[in-house]
């Protein structure tokens, strides 16, 4: 595992620079991206790098990490709404493909199975860290061999949908790329910022792995890089 710690003032530029480098090295990059608040400054910085001509998403395939089930199309908390507003729609040339999750399918389990196919052969997965140790919507209790699937959301995730992301109703379920797909990707990045994530980051990286903290399984990945700001890394023994 590589641990990259930077001051909050330059953290996003550091991650964006790495991403631009991956895109430049492999224009056909297949990349799985999260929403949430953590990657927002990274997406801002990437958009600026694309505008400067440092990289392009034109040949890339973007696979969405997760989606709420039960929120109407266009809901401000929807992951497809957010990734388009924060990244995709700001690019001068769209990615070659964008695979969002069809959470409006009356059979969400079937939509999850279809997305599991898109989530294979990923070059890079980018993840945020939930305060309860979740990764995507792989909530506590998830296992390393879980595929992309329909899941029941933890209470804290339901509350976050409304309180933090402005959902118009409380979702109780979601679809998430499973740990099996995340662990088989070519490279895995975990993005963590802020003092409130310090305790769970220490749990994920320095205490025994286990289903109570799905992020702890990421240590099995042979090419895991954790990008943390100084506040989030504050409790790590380094
Ligand atoms: C979002 C996602 C979630 C978030 C996590 C952290 O697509 O998969 O697992 O990454 O809840 O959220 P923020 O970044 O808002 O603290």
């Amino acid at each position: 595992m590589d641990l990259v710690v930077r001051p909050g003032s330059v953290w996003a530029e550091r991650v964006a620079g790495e991403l631009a480098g991956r895109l430049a090295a492999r224009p056909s990059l297949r990349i799985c991206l999260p929403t949430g608040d953590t990657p927002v400054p990274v997406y801002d910085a990437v958009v600026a790098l694309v505008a400067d001509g440092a990289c392009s998403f034109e040949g890339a395939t973007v696979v969405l990490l997760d989606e709420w089930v039960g929120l109407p199309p266009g809901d401000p908390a929807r992951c497809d709404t957010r990734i388009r507003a924060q990244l995709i729609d700001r690019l001068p040339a769209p990615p070659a493909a964008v695979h969002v999750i069809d959470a409006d399918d009356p059979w969400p389990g079937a939509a999850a199975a279809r997305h599991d196919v898109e989530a294979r052969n990923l070059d890079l997965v980018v993840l945020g860290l939930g305060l309860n140790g979740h990764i995507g919507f792989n909530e506590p209790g998830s296992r390393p061999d879980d595929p992309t699937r329909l899941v029941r959301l933890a209470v804290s995730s339901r509350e976050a949908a409304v309180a933090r992301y402005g959902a118009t109703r409380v979702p109780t379920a979601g679809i998430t790329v499973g740990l099996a797909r995340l662990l088989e990707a070519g490279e895995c990045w975990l993005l963590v910022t802020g003092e409130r994530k310090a305790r769970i980051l220490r749990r994920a990286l320095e205490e025994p792995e286990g289903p109570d903290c799905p992020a702890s399984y990421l240590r099995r990945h042979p090419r895991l890089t954790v990008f943390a700001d100084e506040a989030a890394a504050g409790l790590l023994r380094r």
Side-chain angles (χ1 to χ4, degrees), residues 42-218:
V42 175
Y43 296 152
D44 288 343
V46 167
V47 167
L49 288 171
V50 172
D52 287 349
C55 62
S56 166
F57 280 77
E58 228 172 330
T61 294
V62 171
V63 176
L64 199 59
L65 174 63
D66 47 12
E67 187 58 273
W68 313 96
V69 171
L71 298 185
D75 187 285
R78 287 257 299 223
C79 300
D80 57 359
T81 309
R82 289 173 63 95
I83 198 77
R84 288 191 201 286
Q86 293 169 0
L87 179 66
I88 308 292
D89 292 349
R90 300 168 70 194
L91 300 171
V98 178
H99 297 295
V100 298
I101 300 173
D102 184 10
D104 305 316
D105 190 313
W107 289 278
R114 289 197 300 278
H115 200 67
D116 195 56
V117 176
E118 308 297 352
R120 290 175 186 267
N121 302 314
L122 293 165
D123 297 307
L124 172 64
V125 295
V126 181
L127 304 167
L129 177 62
L131 285 172
N132 65 353
H134 73 212
I135 290 296
F137 286 146
N138 292 283
E139 301 280 18
S142 299
R143 313 295 310 203
D145 57 354
D146 281 335
T148 304
R149 67 205 185 287
L150 178 66
V151 295
R152 198 173 160 72
L153 295 171
V155 170
S156 55
S157 297
R158 300 175 194 194
E159 290 171 353
V162 176
R164 296 188 52 216
Y165 310 130
T168 54
R169 60 179 80 140
V170 181
T172 57
I175 293 173
T176 185
V177 174
L179 280 165
R181 299 290 85 76
L182 303 177
L183 291 172
E184 73 190 16
E187 204 179 344
C188 179
W189 293 358
L190 179 62
L191 312 186
V192 197
T193 55
E195 192 182 351
R196 68 192 198 107
K197 297 276 178 77
R199 191 199 56 78
I200 193 66
L201 182 61
R202 182 177 64 188
R203 164 71 194 89
L205 300 186
E206 297 183 346
E207 294 171 19
E209 70 166 41
D212 62 298
C213 180
S216 65
Y217 291 120
L218 296 179

